[in-house]
């Protein structure tokens, strides 16, 4: 059975306090199965918050974007497993030894995701750091390394979905942030697509933060996005 819109939608809980995060998780639970805890919230509220999110019944996505020496990353993966998270990110730029070591300690219940090029980055960002290839070449290069090392999914922008589907195994899940409903503010995201476009292009999961959590009524915003996703499925 194909996953529903609700199963595919990940809410980025990019807020500063436990109270705000729990309130959003409870309000949005009917519309989204996944709640993403990122650096801001984890740094402020720590592992207890992750447990609290799990207690709401949500699937927990811990977006720590790990990037360190292989041993440190692997031990952090083990710690995340101890928190009962279902998705965890690392940066594929950490290289194959780091990725393989992390994969080797991840149980089947954890979807370990490799971040390719951040959706806030563009060609100039890559140039600045010495990468002369264009964004989509770099995304595909990193995703291939991840897939060869056994990563469960990759994080990229919707614009690279086509190239990724050609380059890597269909079993590798595509998790897509930088989602913006038509007419909404792009904020710092540069490689955006609408929810319907991303799903039609082949995204497995959509990550949405500010268009929902900063909306005057997050429940109305999430409902509209869910309808868009369902229409494209
Ligand atoms: O508010 P917005 O919808 O832009 O939030 C996107 C979320 O996805 C943020 O939590 C951000 O950290 C995360 N993310 C991203 N680009 C990546 C990986 C994660 O925007 N490549």
């Amino acid at each position: 059975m194909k996953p529903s819109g609700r199963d595919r939608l990940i809410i980025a809980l990019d807020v500063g306090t436990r109270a705000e995060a729990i309130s959003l998780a409870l309000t949005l639970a009917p519309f989204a199965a996944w709640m993403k805890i990122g650096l801001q919230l984890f740094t402020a509220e720590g592992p207890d918050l992750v447990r609290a999110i799990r207690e709401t019944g949500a699937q927990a996505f811990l977006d720590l974007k790990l990037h360190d020496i292989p041993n440190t990353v692997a031990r952090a993966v083990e710690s995340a497993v101890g928190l009962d998270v279902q998705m965890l990110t690392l940066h594929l730029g950490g290289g194959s030894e780091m990725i393989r070591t992390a994969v080797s300690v991840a149980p089947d219940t954890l979807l370990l995701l490799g971040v390719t090029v951040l959706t806030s980055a563009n060609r100039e960002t890559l140039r600045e750091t010495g990468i002369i290839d264009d964004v989509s070449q770099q995304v595909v290069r990193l995703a291939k390394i991840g897939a060869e090392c056994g990563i469960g999914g990759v994080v990229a922008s919707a614009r690279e979905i086509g190239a990724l589907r050609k380059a890597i195994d269909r079993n590798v899940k595509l998790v897509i942030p930088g989602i913006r409903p038509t007419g909404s503010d792009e904020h710092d995201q540069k490689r955006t697509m609408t929810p319907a476009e991303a799903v039609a292009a082949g995204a497995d999961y959509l990550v949405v933060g500010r268009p929902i959590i900063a909306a005057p009524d997050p429940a109305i915003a999430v409902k509209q996005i869910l309808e868009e996703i369902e229409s494209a499925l």
Side-chain angles (χ1 to χ4, degrees), residues 12-14 36 38-39 61 63 65 89 91 115-120 155-157 175-180 186-189 191 207-213:
L13 294 175
D14 292 333
K36 184 171 88 66
L39 290 172
F61 175 169
D63 189 14
K65 297 191 179 72
T89 45
H91 268 291
V115 177
T116 56
V117 176
L118 294 172
T119 44
S120 56
V155 185
S157 95
V175 178
I176 311 294
I179 300 296
R180 290 293 180 271
E186 297 224 330
H187 306 103
D188 51 355
Q189 298 287 14
R191 300 174 359 256
V207 180
V208 189
R210 287 161 291 182
I212 294 172
I213 65 167

Side-chain angles (χ1 to χ4, degrees), residues 71-216:
N71 180 62
T72 301
V73 170
R75 301 291 83 79
V77 172
E78 288 171 341
S79 298
V81 171
L83 286 175
D84 188 30
V85 304
Q86 286 67 46
M87 285 188 193
L88 175 70
T89 45
L90 52 74
H91 268 291
L92 293 173
S96 56
E97 189 190 343
M98 186 201 83
I99 303 164
R100 270 187 223 284
T101 314
V103 167
S104 73
V105 297
D108 292 344
T109 49
L110 176 68
L111 188 61
L112 196 56
L113 303 172
V115 177
T116 56
V117 176
L118 294 172
T119 44
S120 56
N122 58 18
R123 199 189 172 97
E124 283 65 52
T125 323
L126 294 185
R127 283 272 155 111
E128 215 176 42
T129 54
I131 296 160
I132 53 165
D133 285 335
D134 65 28
V135 170
S136 89
Q137 285 172 311
Q138 180 66 359
V139 167
V140 168
R141 171 185 293 124
L142 290 169
K144 277 184 171 168
I145 296 172
E148 277 159 21
C149 296
I151 206 89
V154 298
V155 185
S157 95
R159 295 194 199 169
E160 290 100 38
I161 294 173
L164 286 169
R165 282 289 179 231
K166 282 193 206 122
I168 58 171
D169 193 286
R170 182 69 187 79
N171 293 327
V172 177
K173 303 290 183 207
L174 300 186
V175 178
I176 311 294
I179 300 296
R180 290 293 180 271
T182 312
S184 73
D185 190 337
E186 297 224 330
H187 306 103
D188 51 355
Q189 298 287 14
K190 296 193 177 71
R191 300 174 359 256
T192 61
M193 259 196 198
T194 69
E197 284 168 344
V199 169
D204 291 298
Y205 296 94
L206 304 187
V207 180
V208 189
R210 287 161 291 182
I212 294 172
I213 65 167

